[in-house]
Amino acid sequence: MDNYSDKRIYLAVEIEPGTLLRMIRNLLFLFTFLLFSEASAQFIVQGKVTDAETGDPIPFASVLLKGTTLGMNTDFEGNYSLSAKSLPDSIVVSYIGYLTQSKPLSNQAEQTLNFQLRPSDFQLEAFVFEAGENPAFEIIRKAVAKKKEFDKRSLTAYETKNYTKIEIDIDHVAEEFAQRKSVRKVTAVLDSIKQLTNDEGEKILPIFFSETLSKFYYRNNPELRKEIVEKSRVTGVGITDGSTTSQITGSVFQEYNFYKNWLSILEKDFVSPIADGWKAFYDYDLMDSVLVGQDSCYMLQVYPRREQDLAFSGTIWINKETYALKQVDLTIPKETNLNFVERIKIQQELVPTPPGPLIPSKSRIQIKIGQVTPKTAGLLAKFYTSSDSLKLNDPAPTSFFNQAVVLKPDFNTGNEEFWRANRQDPLSSEELAVLQMVDTLKRIPVIRFYTEGLKFFATGYLPVGKMDLGPWPGFFNYNNVEGIRLGVGGRTNLKFSNKWLLQGYLAYGFKDERFKYTGSVTRVLDRNRWTTMRLGSQREIEQVGLEIASLEGNSIFLAASRFGTLRRAYMSTKHELNFQREFFKGFLFSAAVNVAQFEPLYDFYYLDKDTRDYRSRFETTEARFALRYGRDEIVIINDNERVSFGPSKWPIVQLNYARGLRWLGGDITYDKLSFYLYQRLNMGMLGVSRYELDAGKVFGEVPYPILKNHLGNETLFYTSAAFNTMNLNEFASDQYLSLRYRHFFEGFLLNKIPLIKKLKWRAVANANFLYGSVQDKNVENSPNRDPNGNPLETFGSLDPYVPYVELGYGIENIFKFFRVDFFHRMTYLDNPEAKPFAVKISAQIIL
């Protein structure tokens, strides 16, 4: 009997052994995939974090998946990328100084979310420690103690390949400014181009963009720098030739080393957060311990003890093991005692070299200039530098550093394909739009008109083809000798030749009915070791003690002294042959032969020692030699001229010698020896000092116009080149020693006065000393009366044991432009017409 529950159906299948193994393997793979597919599923969220106002990346921002521990910091370009097995409902981005922002997440395997963070006015309150020391202090103390280990200046030498880009924009355009007829012409043309705006909807108008690929060289002991610009692309409103601009848009001018105690930015000195005297300037908060790359770091908030000090506010990251700086994100806030500057922001990423010192791998600097008046616009300048291909300890010879910046012959030949292939970081879509807009802007006629006009006013010259017309201050003058004076001049530019420079001017005085002129031909023999030969000729009205050659750097004072009444004027005719060469870095030698005629336009006589006759005119033939040394002076070649940006730390020293030669046609034999020393001193929290030491001696018997006629100042305007309570031609010397000392307190004193500090006034001080004397023989050959007994103008001499002393104090930055100085004359008060007290004013554009 059949039992239903025991019924079976049996199937017989014949399978080969190899096929069976493959089936088992496939089944196992399918089983494993089904088992782990849910656990191994990955979601990727990526994007970029930028500043909502400027569009710049925000590095080091915190990105966190809400409700989880998954997060990271953005890289230097503001990018982030997170992977997760499952996603929460949102992602949060935060950074100190910005409003925190969150965005919802969708259920997608990959998604891109970009964040534009708005700056926040929220100020982080300082932690209050009731017992013990602020824990951040111990971290800073250890970082400062190990500065020498990580300062790149301790390297013997290094070389990097650098990429630098600079962008300058007009922003915060006032409505009244935008409605001007000339501005509307510009915006009408730009309407066809993608408009760049900040987060508030305000248009940003780019006016300059540059890219530079270069090799940067550094050598220690002596400390020298050089940049070889391999490729450069410069486009900007008013830029007619990129050779000069390309020298200053590279990385040599974008160095920021926080291991220095003081950083020079826009010719102001800002104290580093890890300076030796950090505790006098900064407070710190230990915010967190974070992982930056592979390094565990302390994250510290820094801020100035006094809001108007030249100090930084922001965040620094310090390696927990080595106490080396890892990253910085620092800002100079608007409250700092600066003019026009609303913000300076510096972001930097540092990497260690094999010996230990740190090299900045990437730096980003942003300088925001506010509106000078409510009816104008502001400026926004952005600088970015990245470095790679580091080479160490292969110092080049000193002669290699003769010129701070060198352009390769084909520096401006790179096309768009070259830049795409060689720039270290690709341009963003916004930067590509900037390039297009700047190229369009500079071709608009009204833009070209205004930019050329501004350049003409600033430089004094107007480019017209291969010539530059100018300088414009020489076009018109009026004084008691010439009456109305009209002139015209010009010079050749680089389009004419890079080896020859021709320049000159012609002027006519309608009262004296005389032509005046100057002309010169310069041959550039060597541009690497700057070597030139110059032949010049001049016929011009000069003033004793106010010669044009000695006042070239004081154009306002020179122009003021040549209007109105001329003092002790004379017609000067000069012919000169000059040679100069830079033998090694900073060491310039020059030699010249000068033939000059002195034709007085006032009553003047001197006693000829040979004939014992009184003469009013004389001729001199001088052989001159000069040595000038600036150890760390930065010099560039501007077209066919050598331009100095001044020294950084070491003094400028100059030694001059001149020999008056009778056998070459001169009337007088003499020797003149002089020594000059200039230095800028950083006095820390006390401010900045500058001093000039000048000493000299005249050997021989000479008329007083050949002596050192010390420069006085009878104008209302202040000048550092003169003694401001001394009258013109009051003193002359044949041996002398002078010291002019100027100190700028910046905000040191007035920043502490509650009401005054809001005005951002800054105290200044002056102290000028002069020792001098005249030998009896030089007094005797300058008589008080002419041969007919009429009185003559002569000179005064100093007591060799009593110095001339004047002390001054003043306030600068009044209404951001004006300066007032008060001077007290301390000695020689019994001289006729002596002024014991003087007030001088000046106008200046300073930060």
Side-chain angles (χ1 to χ4, degrees):
M1 186 172 172
D2 293 335
N3 188 336
Y4 180 78
S5 61
D6 290 330
K7 292 182 178 179
R8 304 281 195 277
I9 298 177
Y10 294 91
L11 296 176
V13 179
E14 186 177 351
I15 302 176
E16 295 182 358
T19 302
L20 179 62
L21 289 174
R22 285 194 297 271
M23 289 178 63
I24 294 172
R25 184 180 64 188
N26 290 337
L27 287 172
L28 289 173
F29 175 80
L30 178 61
F31 175 77
T32 304
F33 174 78
L34 293 174
L35 182 64
F36 293 102
S37 60
E38 184 67 24
S40 61
Q42 292 288 324
F43 294 89
I44 298 175
V45 184
Q46 61 188 2
K48 188 168 187 174
V49 182
T50 58
D51 187 304
E53 290 189 357
T54 66
D56 289 326
I58 300 179
F60 326 135
S62 174
V63 183
L64 183 68
L65 296 178
K66 189 175 182 180
T68 73
T69 58
L70 291 176
M72 66 173 297
N73 291 333
T74 55
D75 63 16
F76 199 79
E77 306 306 321
N79 298 311
Y80 73 92
S81 180
L82 289 171
S83 299
K85 297 176 183 178
S86 61
L87 288 180
D89 60 354
S90 62
I91 184 173
V92 180
V93 175
S94 61
Y95 191 59
I96 295 172
Y98 290 86
L99 296 173
T100 299
Q101 191 178 44
S102 65
K103 288 189 176 183
L105 293 170
S106 58
N107 190 26
Q108 298 177 6
E110 293 188 14
Q111 52 193 305
T112 300
L113 293 174
N114 296 324
F115 289 80
Q116 295 80 38
L117 301 187
R118 292 173 176 267
S120 171
D121 293 330
F122 172 76
Q123 297 294 323
L124 186 70
E125 294 183 2
F127 290 119
V128 177
F129 298 95
E130 296 183 355
E133 185 183 49
N134 181 342
F137 286 2
E138 180 62 20
I139 298 170
I140 295 296
R141 189 177 292 113
K142 291 181 178 179
V144 171
K146 303 188 74 173
K147 281 172 58 176
K148 289 185 178 180
E149 295 182 29
F150 302 114
D151 190 345
K152 64 180 182 178
R153 292 176 295 172
S154 63
L155 294 170
T156 303
Y158 69 85
E159 169 192 341
T160 57
K161 186 174 182 180
N162 292 356
Y163 168 73
T164 306
K165 61 184 174 184
I166 300 174
E167 178 186 337
I168 301 177
D169 309 320
I170 294 177
D171 73 342
H172 287 305
V173 179
E175 184 61 28
E176 292 186 36
F177 179 81
Q179 293 305 317
R180 293 179 182 176
K181 185 177 180 181
S182 57
V183 178
R184 290 203 305 270
K185 290 181 181 179
V186 175
T187 55
V189 175
L190 295 178
D191 283 343
S192 60
I193 305 176
K194 176 184 176 181
Q195 291 293 297
L196 301 174
T197 62
N198 59 24
D199 194 59
E200 299 169 354
E202 297 174 325
K203 291 182 180 180
I204 295 176
L205 191 63
I207 57 173
F208 180 90
F209 190 85
S210 72
E211 295 182 276
T212 303
L213 280 173
S214 63
K215 285 187 176 179
F216 179 80
Y217 299 85
Y218 172 88
R219 172 182 169 171
N220 200 357
N221 194 27
E223 189 174 1
L224 300 171
R225 295 175 179 83
K226 180 171 183 173
E227 182 174 25
I228 297 179
V229 176
E230 297 181 332
K231 295 293 181 182
S232 176
R233 177 166 70 167
V234 176
T235 180
V237 174
I239 303 298
T240 55
D241 178 72
S243 62
T244 301
T245 310
S246 295
Q247 293 181 72
I248 61 176
T249 54
S251 57
V252 73
F253 293 96
Q254 314 301 331
E255 268 215 307
Y256 301 94
N257 182 4
F258 286 91
Y259 278 95
K260 291 182 176 180
N261 288 329
W262 297 85
L263 285 78
S264 181
I265 307 172
L266 300 176
E267 296 189 350
K268 294 287 186 180
D269 291 320
F270 296 85
V271 61
S272 169
I274 56 170
D276 292 338
W278 55 272
K279 207 167 187 178
F281 297 95
Y282 286 102
D283 273 328
Y284 306 80
D285 289 330
L286 176 58
M287 304 300 297
D288 202 352
S289 180
V290 296
L291 191 65
V292 180
Q294 302 298 318
D295 299 320
S296 181
C297 297
Y298 294 113
M299 178 179 174
L300 286 88
Q301 176 78 5
V302 305
Y303 42 92
R305 287 185 175 272
R306 294 164 296 274
E307 64 178 11
Q308 289 194 343
D309 281 358
L310 298 184
F312 298 95
S313 176
T315 310
I316 61 175
W317 289 259
I318 294 177
N319 189 300
K320 294 180 72 173
E321 289 187 10
T322 64
Y323 291 92
L325 274 181
K326 180 69 176 178
Q327 300 173 157
V328 301
D329 187 356
L330 297 170
T331 300
I332 299 169
K334 187 176 181 179
E335 293 76 19
T336 304
N337 194 335
L338 291 173
N339 288 328
F340 315 118
V341 177
E342 291 188 357
R343 181 173 58 182
I344 300 176
K345 188 177 184 66
I346 300 178
Q347 298 167 325
Q348 195 173 81
E349 187 176 74
L350 298 105
V351 296
T353 60
L358 306 175
I359 297 288
S361 60
K362 294 182 179 181
S363 300
R364 184 181 290 110
I365 299 92
Q366 179 191 111
I367 301 174
K368 188 175 181 62
I369 307 295
Q371 297 163 283
V372 178
T373 68
K375 297 182 180 180
T376 58
L379 280 178
L380 181 64
K382 306 175 185 178
F383 307 84
Y384 173 84
T385 299
S386 61
S387 304
D388 61 12
S389 305
L390 175 68
K391 295 182 181 179
L392 294 175
N393 299 324
D394 187 17
T398 303
S399 59
F400 174 77
F401 296 89
N402 274 3
Q403 195 173 325
V405 183
V406 173
L407 303 176
K408 280 199 169 182
D410 60 345
F411 76 95
N412 57 356
T413 59
N415 55 24
E416 184 58 37
E417 288 74 20
F418 169 84
W419 286 103
R420 270 199 297 265
N422 287 277
R423 65 169 64 97
Q424 296 179 13
D425 305 286
L427 296 183
S428 64
S429 59
E430 290 81 6
E431 289 170 330
L432 293 173
V434 164
L435 274 172
Q436 182 186 8
M437 189 174 289
V438 173
D439 284 337
T440 304
L441 264 178
K442 66 182 184 181
R443 288 191 288 267
I444 300 175
V446 67
I447 290 289
R448 295 180 62 184
F449 174 79
Y450 278 106
T451 53
E452 291 302 320
L454 287 173
K455 286 171 62 179
F456 179 48
F457 178 78
T459 66
Y461 287 91
L462 178 66
V464 180
K466 298 180 179 181
M467 292 287 298
D468 297 339
L469 297 180
W472 63 262
F475 290 170
F476 174 81
N477 203 316
Y478 177 83
N479 56 66
N480 64 313
V481 175
E482 300 173 285
I484 295 175
R485 168 180 163 143
L486 300 179
V488 65
R491 67 185 181 188
T492 60
N493 55 40
L494 207 61
K495 294 180 181 178
F496 175 80
S497 174
N498 68 344
K499 295 182 178 180
W500 293 95
L501 172 63
L502 312 178
Q503 60 185 13
Y505 71 80
L506 180 67
Y508 181 77
F510 286 88
K511 182 177 180 180
D512 64 350
E513 298 181 343
R514 290 188 180 188
F515 282 99
K516 294 87 183 175
Y517 66 85
T518 182
S520 66
V521 179
T522 303
R523 176 72 161 90
V524 180
L525 301 172
D526 188 345
R527 301 181 75 89
N528 183 29
R529 292 188 176 183
W530 185 249
T531 308
T532 63
M533 182 75 75
R534 178 182 178 274
L535 178 64
S537 181
Q538 172 184 294
R539 183 168 174 80
E540 183 58 278
I541 290 180
E542 299 266 29
Q543 300 175 78
V544 175
L546 287 167
E547 281 76 15
I548 296 174
S550 62
L551 290 175
E552 288 182 348
N554 295 272
S555 56
I556 295 178
F557 181 73
L558 176 61
S561 66
R562 297 181 66 81
F563 268 89
T565 301
L566 302 186
R567 300 285 299 272
R568 303 195 184 188
Y570 65 95
M571 183 64 69
S572 171
T573 304
K574 296 180 181 178
H575 310 286
E576 183 179 66
L577 178 64
N578 179 282
F579 170 83
Q580 65 173 346
R581 178 174 176 81
E582 186 175 30
F583 281 96
F584 55 87
K585 167 68 178 175
F587 185 82
L588 190 69
F589 167 79
S590 62
V593 176
N594 179 284
V595 178
Q597 295 178 349
F598 181 91
E599 181 184 341
L601 302 178
Y602 68 103
D603 290 334
F604 164 81
Y605 287 91
Y606 79 97
L607 184 63
D608 189 304
K609 68 176 184 178
D610 294 327
T611 65
R612 307 309 297 175
D613 293 332
Y614 287 99
R615 301 181 58 180
S616 62
R617 301 174 59 176
F618 61 85
E619 295 184 7
T620 60
T621 301
E622 283 188 353
R624 300 176 179 176
F625 303 93
L627 300 174
R628 185 179 188 276
Y629 181 58
R631 177 172 176 172
D632 59 357
E633 185 178 19
I634 296 177
V635 175
I636 69 167
I637 306 304
N638 178 22
D639 291 347
N640 291 321
E641 296 179 326
R642 183 179 185 270
V643 178
S644 171
F645 282 79
S648 300
K649 176 182 177 182
W650 296 92
I652 298 290
V653 181
Q654 184 162 332
L655 182 66
N656 302 289
Y657 172 74
R659 170 76 173 175
L661 305 170
R662 298 188 70 173
W663 57 275
L664 282 179
D667 294 327
I668 309 165
T669 300
Y670 57 89
D671 298 276
K672 298 173 74 173
L673 184 65
S674 64
F675 173 81
Y676 175 80
L677 179 69
Y678 165 81
Q679 189 174 14
R680 180 183 184 273
L681 300 173
N682 185 341
M683 308 297 288
M685 63 187 300
L686 297 178
V688 176
S689 291
R690 291 178 173 87
Y691 72 87
E692 295 175 81
L693 180 69
D694 192 9
K697 183 173 177 61
V698 179
F699 301 88
E701 186 174 333
V702 297
Y704 75 80
I706 297 179
L707 300 178
K708 176 69 172 182
N709 287 268
H710 303 293
L711 183 59
N713 181 9
E714 296 182 24
T715 72
L716 180 62
F717 304 105
Y718 165 76
T719 175
S720 62
F723 294 91
N724 285 277
T725 57
M726 183 185 293
N727 296 320
L728 290 171
N729 305 117
E730 185 175 356
F731 297 108
S733 301
D734 57 24
Q735 52 186 358
Y736 60 91
L737 172 66
S738 70
L739 174 65
R740 294 194 298 275
Y741 184 88
R742 310 186 299 279
H743 186 77
F744 304 83
F745 287 96
E746 300 295 349
F748 172 66
L749 295 175
L750 301 184
N751 278 0
K752 298 176 175 61
I753 304 175
L755 296 179
I756 297 296
K757 72 178 184 179
K758 296 297 182 182
L759 300 173
K760 293 189 176 181
W761 288 359
R762 303 168 194 163
V764 294
N766 290 269
N768 298 325
F769 304 88
L770 171 64
Y771 282 92
S773 64
V774 181
Q775 299 176 76
D776 290 341
K777 60 184 179 181
N778 286 326
V779 175
E780 293 170 359
N781 67 18
S782 297
N784 295 323
R785 295 184 179 274
D786 65 14
N788 298 320
N790 299 315
L792 296 174
E793 291 189 59
T794 182
F795 65 94
S797 60
L798 293 159
D799 185 326
Y801 302 104
V802 179
Y804 179 91
V805 179
E806 67 178 19
L807 303 176
Y809 50 90
I811 301 293
E812 65 176 358
N813 208 37
I814 301 172
F815 301 118
K816 296 184 179 181
F817 292 101
F818 300 105
R819 169 174 170 169
V820 179
D821 285 88
F822 306 92
F823 286 92
H824 295 270
R825 178 166 169 163
M826 311 304 293
T827 55
Y828 296 93
L829 297 175
D830 54 349
N831 278 20
E833 301 181 3
K835 299 181 179 68
F837 178 73
V839 179
K840 304 293 181 181
I841 63 172
S842 57
Q844 53 190 358
I845 299 177
I846 57 173
L847 298 180

